[in-house]
Amino acid sequence: MNAGGRSGIVGWWLSGGRTRLEGRHVLGVEQRQLDSALRAIRVKAWRLHLETPGVVATVPMLRGVWGAALRAESKACYCRLFEGAESARPRYLMRPAPQVAQPAPAVEFLLFPATTNLLDDRDDEEIAWTAWDRACRQGLGPHRHPFRISSVVPLAWDGSALEPARRQPGFVLEDLPWPAGTEETPCRLEFPAPLRLLRQAKLIASPTPADIVLAALHRVCALAGPDTEPLWAARRYWLELGRAVPFEPWQGRRLDLVRYSGSQKAEVELRGVAGSLALPVGPGPLSPLLAAAAWIHIGKGTVMGLGQIKITA
């Protein structure tokens, strides 16, 4: 950490999160590292409205049938998207759509291409959609009921719906506007789905901003690639920022889920917590990291929609 320790971090926070140089605001090296990492992550998000006669579809169920179809279509694409290839970080995510999304049921499907070059990722995206069509034919549940995707709606950076289409440019995570007023506006970080953060192999029952910040930084580095080694090396800086932000105690409860694992041929318990953290003076300079985390999720089980942050005023 830079000279000055935590008192320097707190002073930097209260001054608005930027250093002053001859009357101008200048980003510090750690913020530039974060900006570079967020610039390297492109999000392509869609809301899929489904017709699943005879089956109550769940995200793990849809993930399983899509994954099997993707593997049948292309083992190479399956390795890159579903398994994450050499990084072992899957480059997709599925989560339930908000309850207000109609017609129901609906699920949100996100891809994080390995490159921000729109031409380089088009083949994997095309295969991913071919796999969805194959999954529809293969069906859901033990009796393999065919299902249908009635509408594919791309999502903008603010979560708003765009014109239906399977192809879209997506958006990068750098410079996302803060969704709850200004960075100094009181806000709440809500976790409606289980949040699974571990410390020394034990579930963190009452997460703090520091826990969330460290998990978000880890997720960003995993998706942005090997060039983020300096950013992760500076994690103590971000951890101290997380410890400096004022917050009210965690309000929540345990929320455990059980899913069937095809690879283990058994039910697996996913232990987590659901709840919220209130930030009475806002996130300050942590806003870019937290705004990005709302799209990429944090903790264990992100591919199934766990660890989603919803930011409200």
Side-chain angles (χ1 to χ4, degrees), residues 226-271:
D227 290 343
T228 57
E229 289 181 4
L231 175 62
W232 182 245
R235 60 189 177 276
R236 186 180 175 192
Y237 168 89
W238 295 98
L239 188 58
E240 289 299 328
L241 273 184
R243 289 170 177 162
V245 60
F247 70 100
E248 297 177 3
W250 170 263
Q251 299 292 321
R253 60 186 177 87
R254 281 288 297 271
L255 181 58
D256 301 336
L257 299 180
V258 176
R259 73 173 184 90
Y260 180 80
S261 171
S263 59
Q264 301 180 44
K265 306 300 181 184
E267 289 187 337
V268 178
E269 187 177 39
L270 301 176
R271 299 180 178 179

mmCIF file of all heavy atoms in Angstrom, residues 226-271:
data_model
loop_
_atom_site.group_PDB
_atom_site.id
_atom_site.type_symbol
_atom_site.label_atom_id
_atom_site.label_comp_id
_atom_site.label_asym_id
_atom_site.label_seq_id
_atom_site.Cartn_x
_atom_site.Cartn_y
_atom_site.Cartn_z
ATOM 1 N N PRO A 226 -4.863 -12.613 -17.814
ATOM 2 C CA PRO A 226 -3.569 -12.560 -17.132
ATOM 3 C C PRO A 226 -2.974 -11.167 -17.002
ATOM 4 O O PRO A 226 -2.110 -10.953 -16.151
ATOM 5 C CB PRO A 226 -2.674 -13.456 -18.004
ATOM 6 C CG PRO A 226 -3.335 -13.462 -19.356
ATOM 7 C CD PRO A 226 -4.794 -13.374 -19.083
ATOM 8 N N ASP A 227 -3.402 -10.229 -17.820
ATOM 9 C CA ASP A 227 -2.852 -8.870 -17.723
ATOM 10 C C ASP A 227 -3.271 -8.162 -16.442
ATOM 11 O O ASP A 227 -2.816 -7.043 -16.179
ATOM 12 C CB ASP A 227 -3.291 -8.028 -18.937
ATOM 13 C CG ASP A 227 -2.616 -8.503 -20.232
ATOM 14 O OD1 ASP A 227 -1.609 -9.219 -20.127
ATOM 15 O OD2 ASP A 227 -3.111 -8.157 -21.309
ATOM 16 N N THR A 228 -4.142 -8.784 -15.653
ATOM 17 C CA THR A 228 -4.615 -8.150 -14.418
ATOM 18 C C THR A 228 -3.782 -8.543 -13.198
ATOM 19 O O THR A 228 -4.160 -8.236 -12.073
ATOM 20 C CB THR A 228 -6.083 -8.533 -14.144
ATOM 21 O OG1 THR A 228 -6.189 -9.967 -14.075
ATOM 22 C CG2 THR A 228 -6.986 -8.001 -15.238
ATOM 23 N N GLU A 229 -2.652 -9.189 -13.415
ATOM 24 C CA GLU A 229 -1.811 -9.575 -12.273
ATOM 25 C C GLU A 229 -1.431 -8.381 -11.399
ATOM 26 O O GLU A 229 -1.477 -8.473 -10.165
ATOM 27 C CB GLU A 229 -0.568 -10.311 -12.758
ATOM 28 C CG GLU A 229 -0.873 -11.717 -13.302
ATOM 29 C CD GLU A 229 0.378 -12.437 -13.757
ATOM 30 O OE1 GLU A 229 1.483 -11.867 -13.579
ATOM 31 O OE2 GLU A 229 0.256 -13.562 -14.279
ATOM 32 N N PRO A 230 -1.055 -7.215 -11.981
ATOM 33 C CA PRO A 230 -0.750 -6.055 -11.122
ATOM 34 C C PRO A 230 -1.968 -5.585 -10.318
ATOM 35 O O PRO A 230 -1.822 -5.145 -9.174
ATOM 36 C CB PRO A 230 -0.298 -4.983 -12.116
ATOM 37 C CG PRO A 230 0.192 -5.744 -13.304
ATOM 38 C CD PRO A 230 -0.718 -6.936 -13.388
ATOM 39 N N LEU A 231 -3.154 -5.696 -10.898
ATOM 40 C CA LEU A 231 -4.370 -5.298 -10.181
ATOM 41 C C LEU A 231 -4.593 -6.204 -8.983
ATOM 42 O O LEU A 231 -4.885 -5.723 -7.882
ATOM 43 C CB LEU A 231 -5.573 -5.345 -11.125
ATOM 44 C CG LEU A 231 -6.945 -5.061 -10.505
ATOM 45 C CD1 LEU A 231 -6.997 -3.654 -9.922
ATOM 46 C CD2 LEU A 231 -8.054 -5.262 -11.545
ATOM 47 N N TRP A 232 -4.458 -7.496 -9.157
ATOM 48 C CA TRP A 232 -4.654 -8.414 -8.044
ATOM 49 C C TRP A 232 -3.545 -8.258 -7.006
ATOM 50 O O TRP A 232 -3.793 -8.386 -5.804
ATOM 51 C CB TRP A 232 -4.720 -9.852 -8.545
ATOM 52 C CG TRP A 232 -4.970 -10.848 -7.458
ATOM 53 C CD1 TRP A 232 -4.134 -11.825 -7.016
ATOM 54 C CD2 TRP A 232 -6.150 -10.940 -6.641
ATOM 55 N NE1 TRP A 232 -4.701 -12.532 -5.994
ATOM 56 C CE2 TRP A 232 -5.939 -12.022 -5.739
ATOM 57 C CE3 TRP A 232 -7.350 -10.236 -6.584
ATOM 58 C CZ2 TRP A 232 -6.896 -12.391 -4.793
ATOM 59 C CZ3 TRP A 232 -8.299 -10.609 -5.642
ATOM 60 C CH2 TRP A 232 -8.073 -11.664 -4.760
ATOM 61 N N ALA A 233 -2.347 -7.953 -7.461
ATOM 62 C CA ALA A 233 -1.234 -7.735 -6.524
ATOM 63 C C ALA A 233 -1.503 -6.538 -5.623
ATOM 64 O O ALA A 233 -0.988 -6.464 -4.497
ATOM 65 C CB ALA A 233 0.075 -7.552 -7.285
ATOM 66 N N ALA A 234 -2.334 -5.583 -6.111
ATOM 67 C CA ALA A 234 -2.666 -4.382 -5.330
ATOM 68 C C ALA A 234 -3.963 -4.561 -4.548
ATOM 69 O O ALA A 234 -4.570 -3.580 -4.126
ATOM 70 C CB ALA A 234 -2.775 -3.174 -6.257
ATOM 71 N N ARG A 235 -4.382 -5.803 -4.316
ATOM 72 C CA ARG A 235 -5.676 -6.042 -3.680
ATOM 73 C C ARG A 235 -5.756 -5.470 -2.268
ATOM 74 O O ARG A 235 -6.851 -5.148 -1.799
ATOM 75 C CB ARG A 235 -6.004 -7.531 -3.657
ATOM 76 C CG ARG A 235 -5.006 -8.402 -2.912
ATOM 77 C CD ARG A 235 -5.332 -9.877 -3.155
ATOM 78 N NE ARG A 235 -4.381 -10.785 -2.539
ATOM 79 C CZ ARG A 235 -3.226 -11.150 -3.092
ATOM 80 N NH1 ARG A 235 -2.862 -10.649 -4.265
ATOM 81 N NH2 ARG A 235 -2.426 -11.995 -2.472
ATOM 82 N N ARG A 236 -4.620 -5.322 -1.584
ATOM 83 C CA ARG A 236 -4.672 -4.751 -0.235
ATOM 84 C C ARG A 236 -5.188 -3.315 -0.274
ATOM 85 O O ARG A 236 -5.896 -2.871 0.630
ATOM 86 C CB ARG A 236 -3.287 -4.802 0.409
ATOM 87 C CG ARG A 236 -3.296 -4.350 1.868
ATOM 88 C CD ARG A 236 -1.922 -4.402 2.472
ATOM 89 N NE ARG A 236 -1.920 -3.855 3.826
ATOM 90 C CZ ARG A 236 -0.823 -3.574 4.510
ATOM 91 N NH1 ARG A 236 0.364 -3.804 3.980
ATOM 92 N NH2 ARG A 236 -0.917 -3.070 5.721
ATOM 93 N N TYR A 237 -4.834 -2.612 -1.322
ATOM 94 C CA TYR A 237 -5.330 -1.245 -1.505
ATOM 95 C C TYR A 237 -6.856 -1.237 -1.562
ATOM 96 O O TYR A 237 -7.523 -0.439 -0.889
ATOM 97 C CB TYR A 237 -4.728 -0.676 -2.790
ATOM 98 C CG TYR A 237 -5.350 0.615 -3.265
ATOM 99 C CD1 TYR A 237 -4.863 1.844 -2.831
ATOM 100 C CD2 TYR A 237 -6.414 0.610 -4.172
ATOM 101 C CE1 TYR A 237 -5.435 3.029 -3.277
ATOM 102 C CE2 TYR A 237 -6.986 1.780 -4.616
ATOM 103 C CZ TYR A 237 -6.493 2.989 -4.165
ATOM 104 O OH TYR A 237 -7.058 4.156 -4.603
ATOM 105 N N TRP A 238 -7.429 -2.144 -2.369
ATOM 106 C CA TRP A 238 -8.885 -2.199 -2.521
ATOM 107 C C TRP A 238 -9.543 -2.733 -1.255
ATOM 108 O O TRP A 238 -10.651 -2.314 -0.900
ATOM 109 C CB TRP A 238 -9.242 -3.060 -3.735
ATOM 110 C CG TRP A 238 -8.767 -2.427 -4.993
ATOM 111 C CD1 TRP A 238 -7.618 -2.710 -5.698
ATOM 112 C CD2 TRP A 238 -9.390 -1.343 -5.680
ATOM 113 N NE1 TRP A 238 -7.499 -1.884 -6.774
ATOM 114 C CE2 TRP A 238 -8.566 -1.035 -6.798
ATOM 115 C CE3 TRP A 238 -10.554 -0.615 -5.470
ATOM 116 C CZ2 TRP A 238 -8.892 -0.016 -7.694
ATOM 117 C CZ3 TRP A 238 -10.886 0.404 -6.365
ATOM 118 C CH2 TRP A 238 -10.055 0.687 -7.459
ATOM 119 N N LEU A 239 -8.853 -3.635 -0.582
ATOM 120 C CA LEU A 239 -9.381 -4.154 0.670
ATOM 121 C C LEU A 239 -9.487 -3.044 1.714
ATOM 122 O O LEU A 239 -10.480 -2.944 2.444
ATOM 123 C CB LEU A 239 -8.479 -5.274 1.184
ATOM 124 C CG LEU A 239 -8.966 -6.069 2.397
ATOM 125 C CD1 LEU A 239 -10.317 -6.717 2.121
ATOM 126 C CD2 LEU A 239 -7.934 -7.123 2.790
ATOM 127 N N GLU A 240 -8.498 -2.178 1.763
ATOM 128 C CA GLU A 240 -8.546 -1.064 2.708
ATOM 129 C C GLU A 240 -9.640 -0.066 2.335
ATOM 130 O O GLU A 240 -10.285 0.521 3.209
ATOM 131 C CB GLU A 240 -7.184 -0.359 2.777
ATOM 132 C CG GLU A 240 -6.105 -1.182 3.467
ATOM 133 C CD GLU A 240 -6.458 -1.497 4.914
ATOM 134 O OE1 GLU A 240 -7.137 -0.665 5.571
ATOM 135 O OE2 GLU A 240 -6.106 -2.578 5.393
ATOM 136 N N LEU A 241 -9.869 0.113 1.048
ATOM 137 C CA LEU A 241 -10.992 0.968 0.633
ATOM 138 C C LEU A 241 -12.316 0.378 1.117
ATOM 139 O O LEU A 241 -13.203 1.095 1.583
ATOM 140 C CB LEU A 241 -11.023 1.107 -0.890
ATOM 141 C CG LEU A 241 -10.185 2.208 -1.525
ATOM 142 C CD1 LEU A 241 -10.430 2.234 -3.027
ATOM 143 C CD2 LEU A 241 -10.489 3.570 -0.921
ATOM 144 N N GLY A 242 -12.447 -0.936 0.989
ATOM 145 C CA GLY A 242 -13.652 -1.589 1.456
ATOM 146 C C GLY A 242 -13.833 -1.455 2.957
ATOM 147 O O GLY A 242 -14.957 -1.290 3.444
ATOM 148 N N ARG A 243 -12.750 -1.504 3.688
ATOM 149 C CA ARG A 243 -12.835 -1.359 5.140
ATOM 150 C C ARG A 243 -13.146 0.074 5.550
ATOM 151 O O ARG A 243 -13.660 0.316 6.646
ATOM 152 C CB ARG A 243 -11.511 -1.798 5.770
ATOM 153 C CG ARG A 243 -11.278 -3.305 5.707
ATOM 154 C CD ARG A 243 -9.864 -3.663 6.118
ATOM 155 N NE ARG A 243 -9.661 -5.116 6.132
ATOM 156 C CZ ARG A 243 -8.474 -5.708 6.111
ATOM 157 N NH1 ARG A 243 -7.367 -4.965 6.073
ATOM 158 N NH2 ARG A 243 -8.393 -7.021 6.136
ATOM 159 N N ALA A 244 -12.849 1.013 4.677
ATOM 160 C CA ALA A 244 -13.052 2.428 5.017
ATOM 161 C C ALA A 244 -14.475 2.904 4.766
ATOM 162 O O ALA A 244 -14.905 3.897 5.353
ATOM 163 C CB ALA A 244 -12.073 3.301 4.218
ATOM 164 N N VAL A 245 -15.230 2.209 3.897
ATOM 165 C CA VAL A 245 -16.567 2.690 3.555
ATOM 166 C C VAL A 245 -17.509 2.499 4.747
ATOM 167 O O VAL A 245 -17.588 1.407 5.314
ATOM 168 C CB VAL A 245 -17.108 1.978 2.298
ATOM 169 C CG1 VAL A 245 -17.188 0.481 2.503
ATOM 170 C CG2 VAL A 245 -18.473 2.522 1.911
ATOM 171 N N PRO A 246 -18.236 3.523 5.145
ATOM 172 C CA PRO A 246 -19.224 3.359 6.222
ATOM 173 C C PRO A 246 -20.356 2.428 5.786
ATOM 174 O O PRO A 246 -20.831 2.500 4.649
ATOM 175 C CB PRO A 246 -19.738 4.787 6.446
ATOM 176 C CG PRO A 246 -18.670 5.679 5.881
ATOM 177 C CD PRO A 246 -18.109 4.935 4.717
ATOM 178 N N PHE A 247 -20.795 1.565 6.699
ATOM 179 C CA PHE A 247 -21.888 0.647 6.375
ATOM 180 C C PHE A 247 -22.643 0.269 7.636
ATOM 181 O O PHE A 247 -22.125 0.376 8.752
ATOM 182 C CB PHE A 247 -21.361 -0.612 5.685
ATOM 183 C CG PHE A 247 -20.576 -1.532 6.588
ATOM 184 C CD1 PHE A 247 -21.153 -2.665 7.143
ATOM 185 C CD2 PHE A 247 -19.236 -1.271 6.874
ATOM 186 C CE1 PHE A 247 -20.433 -3.516 7.965
ATOM 187 C CE2 PHE A 247 -18.497 -2.126 7.691
ATOM 188 C CZ PHE A 247 -19.092 -3.251 8.243
ATOM 189 N N GLU A 248 -23.878 -0.120 7.423
ATOM 190 C CA GLU A 248 -24.692 -0.640 8.513
ATOM 191 C C GLU A 248 -24.571 -2.162 8.540
ATOM 192 O O GLU A 248 -24.287 -2.782 7.508
ATOM 193 C CB GLU A 248 -26.148 -0.208 8.325
ATOM 194 C CG GLU A 248 -26.326 1.305 8.391
ATOM 195 C CD GLU A 248 -27.761 1.742 8.135
ATOM 196 O OE1 GLU A 248 -28.626 0.843 7.960
ATOM 197 O OE2 GLU A 248 -28.012 2.960 8.095
ATOM 198 N N PRO A 249 -24.774 -2.786 9.703
ATOM 199 C CA PRO A 249 -24.593 -4.236 9.792
ATOM 200 C C PRO A 249 -25.446 -4.999 8.777
ATOM 201 O O PRO A 249 -26.535 -4.577 8.401
ATOM 202 C CB PRO A 249 -25.020 -4.550 11.234
ATOM 203 C CG PRO A 249 -24.794 -3.279 11.975
ATOM 204 C CD PRO A 249 -25.118 -2.190 11.013
ATOM 205 N N TRP A 250 -24.912 -6.121 8.346
ATOM 206 C CA TRP A 250 -25.601 -7.005 7.400
ATOM 207 C C TRP A 250 -26.972 -7.395 7.926
ATOM 208 O O TRP A 250 -27.129 -7.770 9.085
ATOM 209 C CB TRP A 250 -24.751 -8.241 7.183
ATOM 210 C CG TRP A 250 -25.404 -9.352 6.424
ATOM 211 C CD1 TRP A 250 -26.033 -10.452 6.943
ATOM 212 C CD2 TRP A 250 -25.492 -9.491 4.994
ATOM 213 N NE1 TRP A 250 -26.503 -11.270 5.937
ATOM 214 C CE2 TRP A 250 -26.196 -10.701 4.732
ATOM 215 C CE3 TRP A 250 -25.052 -8.720 3.924
ATOM 216 C CZ2 TRP A 250 -26.446 -11.150 3.445
ATOM 217 C CZ3 TRP A 250 -25.308 -9.159 2.636
ATOM 218 C CH2 TRP A 250 -25.990 -10.354 2.404
ATOM 219 N N GLN A 251 -27.968 -7.286 7.061
ATOM 220 C CA GLN A 251 -29.321 -7.717 7.371
ATOM 221 C C GLN A 251 -29.657 -8.880 6.452
ATOM 222 O O GLN A 251 -29.789 -8.702 5.241
ATOM 223 C CB GLN A 251 -30.315 -6.572 7.146
ATOM 224 C CG GLN A 251 -30.062 -5.352 8.016
ATOM 225 C CD GLN A 251 -30.338 -5.627 9.489
ATOM 226 O OE1 GLN A 251 -31.290 -6.329 9.824
ATOM 227 N NE2 GLN A 251 -29.498 -5.072 10.352
ATOM 228 N N GLY A 252 -29.769 -10.083 7.016
ATOM 229 C CA GLY A 252 -30.038 -11.215 6.143
ATOM 230 C C GLY A 252 -30.219 -12.512 6.899
ATOM 231 O O GLY A 252 -30.362 -12.536 8.115
ATOM 232 N N ARG A 253 -30.183 -13.587 6.126
ATOM 233 C CA ARG A 253 -30.429 -14.911 6.676
ATOM 234 C C ARG A 253 -29.708 -15.951 5.835
ATOM 235 O O ARG A 253 -29.263 -15.670 4.717
ATOM 236 C CB ARG A 253 -31.927 -15.218 6.679
ATOM 237 C CG ARG A 253 -32.547 -15.184 5.281
ATOM 238 C CD ARG A 253 -34.046 -15.350 5.289
ATOM 239 N NE ARG A 253 -34.626 -15.239 3.961
ATOM 240 C CZ ARG A 253 -34.761 -16.256 3.107
ATOM 241 N NH1 ARG A 253 -34.321 -17.458 3.454
ATOM 242 N NH2 ARG A 253 -35.307 -16.081 1.920
ATOM 243 N N ARG A 254 -29.607 -17.143 6.380
ATOM 244 C CA ARG A 254 -29.060 -18.249 5.602
ATOM 245 C C ARG A 254 -30.039 -18.626 4.497
ATOM 246 O O ARG A 254 -31.262 -18.604 4.677
ATOM 247 C CB ARG A 254 -28.825 -19.459 6.516
ATOM 248 C CG ARG A 254 -27.566 -19.385 7.349
ATOM 249 C CD ARG A 254 -26.311 -19.574 6.515
ATOM 250 N NE ARG A 254 -26.265 -20.884 5.897
ATOM 251 C CZ ARG A 254 -25.734 -21.962 6.461
ATOM 252 N NH1 ARG A 254 -25.212 -21.888 7.680
ATOM 253 N NH2 ARG A 254 -25.716 -23.120 5.819
ATOM 254 N N LEU A 255 -29.492 -18.970 3.348
ATOM 255 C CA LEU A 255 -30.320 -19.435 2.243
ATOM 256 C C LEU A 255 -29.535 -20.514 1.509
ATOM 257 O O LEU A 255 -28.595 -20.221 0.765
ATOM 258 C CB LEU A 255 -30.677 -18.292 1.288
ATOM 259 C CG LEU A 255 -31.575 -18.656 0.107
ATOM 260 C CD1 LEU A 255 -32.897 -19.255 0.591
ATOM 261 C CD2 LEU A 255 -31.842 -17.443 -0.772
ATOM 262 N N ASP A 256 -29.897 -21.757 1.754
ATOM 263 C CA ASP A 256 -29.208 -22.893 1.150
ATOM 264 C C ASP A 256 -30.056 -23.476 0.029
ATOM 265 O O ASP A 256 -31.285 -23.586 0.148
ATOM 266 C CB ASP A 256 -28.930 -23.973 2.198
ATOM 267 C CG ASP A 256 -28.069 -23.461 3.349
ATOM 268 O OD1 ASP A 256 -27.335 -22.473 3.128
ATOM 269 O OD2 ASP A 256 -28.134 -24.038 4.445
ATOM 270 N N LEU A 257 -29.407 -23.865 -1.040
ATOM 271 C CA LEU A 257 -30.079 -24.498 -2.164
ATOM 272 C C LEU A 257 -29.518 -25.895 -2.366
ATOM 273 O O LEU A 257 -28.383 -26.180 -1.986
ATOM 274 C CB LEU A 257 -29.880 -23.682 -3.448
ATOM 275 C CG LEU A 257 -30.423 -22.250 -3.459
ATOM 276 C CD1 LEU A 257 -30.140 -21.611 -4.809
ATOM 277 C CD2 LEU A 257 -31.913 -22.223 -3.159
ATOM 278 N N VAL A 258 -30.331 -26.746 -2.962
ATOM 279 C CA VAL A 258 -29.893 -28.095 -3.310
ATOM 280 C C VAL A 258 -30.109 -28.288 -4.802
ATOM 281 O O VAL A 258 -31.183 -27.983 -5.334
ATOM 282 C CB VAL A 258 -30.676 -29.165 -2.521
ATOM 283 C CG1 VAL A 258 -30.262 -30.565 -2.984
ATOM 284 C CG2 VAL A 258 -30.427 -29.009 -1.029
ATOM 285 N N ARG A 259 -29.092 -28.759 -5.483
ATOM 286 C CA ARG A 259 -29.217 -29.053 -6.909
ATOM 287 C C ARG A 259 -28.639 -30.431 -7.186
ATOM 288 O O ARG A 259 -27.792 -30.937 -6.432
ATOM 289 C CB ARG A 259 -28.492 -28.007 -7.766
ATOM 290 C CG ARG A 259 -26.970 -28.100 -7.729
ATOM 291 C CD ARG A 259 -26.338 -27.155 -8.726
ATOM 292 N NE ARG A 259 -24.897 -27.289 -8.764
ATOM 293 C CZ ARG A 259 -24.234 -28.124 -9.565
ATOM 294 N NH1 ARG A 259 -24.912 -28.899 -10.396
ATOM 295 N NH2 ARG A 259 -22.915 -28.182 -9.549
ATOM 296 N N TYR A 260 -29.086 -31.013 -8.291
ATOM 297 C CA TYR A 260 -28.565 -32.317 -8.671
ATOM 298 C C TYR A 260 -27.349 -32.128 -9.558
ATOM 299 O O TYR A 260 -27.379 -31.369 -10.530
ATOM 300 C CB TYR A 260 -29.627 -33.130 -9.410
ATOM 301 C CG TYR A 260 -29.137 -34.500 -9.832
ATOM 302 C CD1 TYR A 260 -29.088 -35.544 -8.908
ATOM 303 C CD2 TYR A 260 -28.710 -34.736 -11.133
ATOM 304 C CE1 TYR A 260 -28.618 -36.801 -9.284
ATOM 305 C CE2 TYR A 260 -28.247 -35.985 -11.519
ATOM 306 C CZ TYR A 260 -28.202 -37.011 -10.589
ATOM 307 O OH TYR A 260 -27.736 -38.248 -10.959
ATOM 308 N N SER A 261 -26.261 -32.792 -9.243
ATOM 309 C CA SER A 261 -25.033 -32.733 -10.020
ATOM 310 C C SER A 261 -24.946 -33.966 -10.906
ATOM 311 O O SER A 261 -24.866 -35.100 -10.405
ATOM 312 C CB SER A 261 -23.810 -32.662 -9.093
ATOM 313 O OG SER A 261 -22.615 -32.810 -9.845
ATOM 314 N N GLY A 262 -24.966 -33.736 -12.215
ATOM 315 C CA GLY A 262 -24.852 -34.846 -13.143
ATOM 316 C C GLY A 262 -23.497 -35.521 -13.072
ATOM 317 O O GLY A 262 -23.382 -36.736 -13.223
ATOM 318 N N SER A 263 -22.450 -34.732 -12.842
ATOM 319 C CA SER A 263 -21.102 -35.307 -12.788
ATOM 320 C C SER A 263 -20.903 -36.148 -11.529
ATOM 321 O O SER A 263 -20.242 -37.181 -11.548
ATOM 322 C CB SER A 263 -20.050 -34.195 -12.850
ATOM 323 O OG SER A 263 -20.218 -33.296 -11.763
ATOM 324 N N GLN A 264 -21.504 -35.699 -10.403
ATOM 325 C CA GLN A 264 -21.359 -36.434 -9.150
ATOM 326 C C GLN A 264 -22.482 -37.452 -8.930
ATOM 327 O O GLN A 264 -22.424 -38.245 -7.988
ATOM 328 C CB GLN A 264 -21.323 -35.458 -7.968
ATOM 329 C CG GLN A 264 -20.184 -34.453 -8.045
ATOM 330 C CD GLN A 264 -20.167 -33.505 -6.865
ATOM 331 O OE1 GLN A 264 -20.341 -33.915 -5.724
ATOM 332 N NE2 GLN A 264 -19.948 -32.216 -7.131
ATOM 333 N N LYS A 265 -23.518 -37.410 -9.778
ATOM 334 C CA LYS A 265 -24.664 -38.310 -9.659
ATOM 335 C C LYS A 265 -25.280 -38.253 -8.258
ATOM 336 O O LYS A 265 -25.620 -39.259 -7.650
ATOM 337 C CB LYS A 265 -24.250 -39.755 -9.974
ATOM 338 C CG LYS A 265 -23.570 -39.945 -11.317
ATOM 339 C CD LYS A 265 -24.474 -39.523 -12.472
ATOM 340 C CE LYS A 265 -23.772 -39.750 -13.810
ATOM 341 N NZ LYS A 265 -24.582 -39.268 -14.961
ATOM 342 N N ALA A 266 -25.389 -37.025 -7.737
ATOM 343 C CA ALA A 266 -25.926 -36.853 -6.386
ATOM 344 C C ALA A 266 -26.395 -35.422 -6.220
ATOM 345 O O ALA A 266 -26.048 -34.534 -7.008
ATOM 346 C CB ALA A 266 -24.860 -37.182 -5.337
ATOM 347 N N GLU A 267 -27.223 -35.197 -5.186
ATOM 348 C CA GLU A 267 -27.644 -33.845 -4.851
ATOM 349 C C GLU A 267 -26.532 -33.132 -4.097
ATOM 350 O O GLU A 267 -25.880 -33.721 -3.226
ATOM 351 C CB GLU A 267 -28.925 -33.866 -4.014
ATOM 352 C CG GLU A 267 -30.159 -34.289 -4.804
ATOM 353 C CD GLU A 267 -31.425 -34.139 -4.001
ATOM 354 O OE1 GLU A 267 -31.338 -34.142 -2.751
ATOM 355 O OE2 GLU A 267 -32.514 -34.010 -4.617
ATOM 356 N N VAL A 268 -26.324 -31.869 -4.447
ATOM 357 C CA VAL A 268 -25.261 -31.066 -3.839
ATOM 358 C C VAL A 268 -25.895 -29.865 -3.153
ATOM 359 O O VAL A 268 -26.718 -29.163 -3.750
ATOM 360 C CB VAL A 268 -24.247 -30.590 -4.900
ATOM 361 C CG1 VAL A 268 -23.180 -29.705 -4.262
ATOM 362 C CG2 VAL A 268 -23.602 -31.792 -5.592
ATOM 363 N N GLU A 269 -25.524 -29.637 -1.905
ATOM 364 C CA GLU A 269 -26.055 -28.501 -1.154
ATOM 365 C C GLU A 269 -25.174 -27.277 -1.388
ATOM 366 O O GLU A 269 -23.948 -27.351 -1.270
ATOM 367 C CB GLU A 269 -26.101 -28.818 0.337
ATOM 368 C CG GLU A 269 -26.800 -27.733 1.157
ATOM 369 C CD GLU A 269 -26.917 -28.082 2.633
ATOM 370 O OE1 GLU A 269 -25.961 -28.655 3.184
ATOM 371 O OE2 GLU A 269 -27.963 -27.780 3.219
ATOM 372 N N LEU A 270 -25.813 -26.180 -1.726
ATOM 373 C CA LEU A 270 -25.116 -24.910 -1.931
ATOM 374 C C LEU A 270 -25.489 -23.984 -0.780
ATOM 375 O O LEU A 270 -26.595 -23.447 -0.739
ATOM 376 C CB LEU A 270 -25.509 -24.295 -3.276
ATOM 377 C CG LEU A 270 -25.230 -25.148 -4.513
ATOM 378 C CD1 LEU A 270 -25.763 -24.460 -5.761
ATOM 379 C CD2 LEU A 270 -23.744 -25.425 -4.656
ATOM 380 N N ARG A 271 -24.572 -23.812 0.146
ATOM 381 C CA ARG A 271 -24.850 -22.997 1.326
ATOM 382 C C ARG A 271 -24.504 -21.541 1.052
ATOM 383 O O ARG A 271 -23.452 -21.231 0.509
ATOM 384 C CB ARG A 271 -24.042 -23.522 2.515
ATOM 385 C CG ARG A 271 -24.382 -24.959 2.883
ATOM 386 C CD ARG A 271 -23.559 -25.455 4.060
ATOM 387 N NE ARG A 271 -23.921 -26.819 4.423
ATOM 388 C CZ ARG A 271 -23.340 -27.506 5.397
ATOM 389 N NH1 ARG A 271 -22.367 -26.948 6.113
ATOM 390 N NH2 ARG A 271 -23.733 -28.745 5.661
#
